Amino acid sequence: MKKKKLFTSESVTEGHPDKISDQISDAILDELLRQDPQSRSAVETFCTTGFVMVIGEVTTKGYVDIQSIVRDVVRDIGYDRAKYGFDCDTCAVVSSIHEQSPDIALGVDKSAEAKAGEITDKYDTGAGDQGMMFGFACDETPEFMPLPISLAHKLSKRLAEVRKDGTLPYLRPDGKSQVTVEYDENDRPSRIEAIVVSTQHSPEVSLDVIREDVIKHVIGPVIDPALMDADTKIFVNPTGRFVIGGPAGDSGLTGRKIIVDTYGGYARHGGGAFSGKDPTKVDRTATYAARYVAKNIVAAGLARKCEIQIAYAIGVARPVSVRIDTFGTATVDEDELSEYILEHVDLRPAALIEKFDLRRPIYRALASYGHMGREDLGVSWEALDLADELRAAFGK
């Protein structure tokens, strides 16, 4: 009997406590960049019942009213009354913010290569930290994302939509989705094995009503019926009750959903979070760049799958290593492909910040439903402007 090849990814809604924290951190970053595009930020947020704490390092010429931003984000998400267990107007907000370490700034302001005279152009700043970052793309979906995380994000986003537009007014902001996809012998998605949707709700509504409504208004509009069959399992609120949610049900912390932010576990993750970090932090910027290169390689038809690792040393502009892995799907020589990318894509942090225009207040919108595959937001690292060049270079 042939063994099933299954892969599962999950997503969460904007009302999940970890995502509340991510959105607050990125809303603060957005306001810093709006006032001073050169702001440096590494802000983290913690939330629990009736309480939000914002901590971290900020260097800026602007001023941010953290109290107002926190309350506005929580209100916009939908926690605007006490009976939801968390209320934007009555929760306590505490902050502890100090300036970025001058020791870090020494390396970021001018890279080791610039100090040695090896870099003389304007891209002379160093990486804001050491670390390794990964980017990935595959041809499973139109946006070049793995199918499990693509569908999980769409389900979570749909949960928020039907809550906010009044289709299902008894829903509350917290929720999760999970999709298990079966792959065939050619490693292509063939069907959906299981779907899980858990959503916070008012205490008055029954599980039978929630299940019927979620299948009709959330799962139905998102999932292609051709991917489902009689053996597809659907779980809606499998505990039977989900009234207590958000920060009242579980504490939230910035950076605790990094797999949701990227590829749902389908590809590797370097470990660094994105939210609250300004673009000098390569955790964010180099991960976007790696996604851009991988996506263009796949879009150009040079591979069905592509994963890229980029590693940096703090205070050094050029990467210490770059690795491309196409998992045996490349239609060109992988070493030649790696050499071409190294020669034609400038991976220094300052060059990436300029190329992707990362000093703009664009980040809160990315803090829910993933940072990759977000063609709906028009983010620059999802552009395919390198694909034609790659095709021409490799005769495709």
Side-chain angles (χ1 to χ4, degrees), residues 280-300:
T280 66
K281 307 293 190 298
V282 284
D283 279 336
R284 185 192 284 276
T285 300
T287 304
Y288 294 164
R291 162 65 179 171
Y292 167 78
V293 175
K295 183 177 181 180
N296 276 269
I297 287 172
V298 175

Side-chain angles (χ1 to χ4, degrees), residues 30-52:
D30 281 349
E31 185 56 29
L32 288 166
L33 294 174
R34 195 174 284 114
Q35 295 186 31
D36 176 12
Q38 300 300 318
S39 294
R40 302 269 177 84
S41 169
V43 172
E44 298 184 28
T45 302
F46 164 79
C47 63
T48 188
T49 307
F51 182 82
V52 177

Side-chain angles (χ1 to χ4, degrees), residues 21-34 64 69-70 72-73 275-276 361 363-365 367:
S21 297
D22 285 344
Q23 289 170 88
I24 290 170
S25 295
D26 274 335
I28 291 169
L29 172 61
D30 281 349
E31 185 56 29
L32 288 166
L33 294 174
R34 195 174 284 114
V64 173
I69 289 177
V70 169
D72 287 348
V73 170
S275 292
Y363 297 108
R364 189 203 153 180

Side-chain angles (χ1 to χ4, degrees), residues 5-25:
K5 295 169 60 179
L6 304 176
F7 195 88
T8 302
S9 293
E10 75 157 356
S11 179
V12 298
T13 66
E14 60 214 57
H16 186 282
D18 293 329
K19 277 297 154 198
I20 294 173
S21 297
D22 285 344
Q23 289 170 88
I24 290 170
S25 295

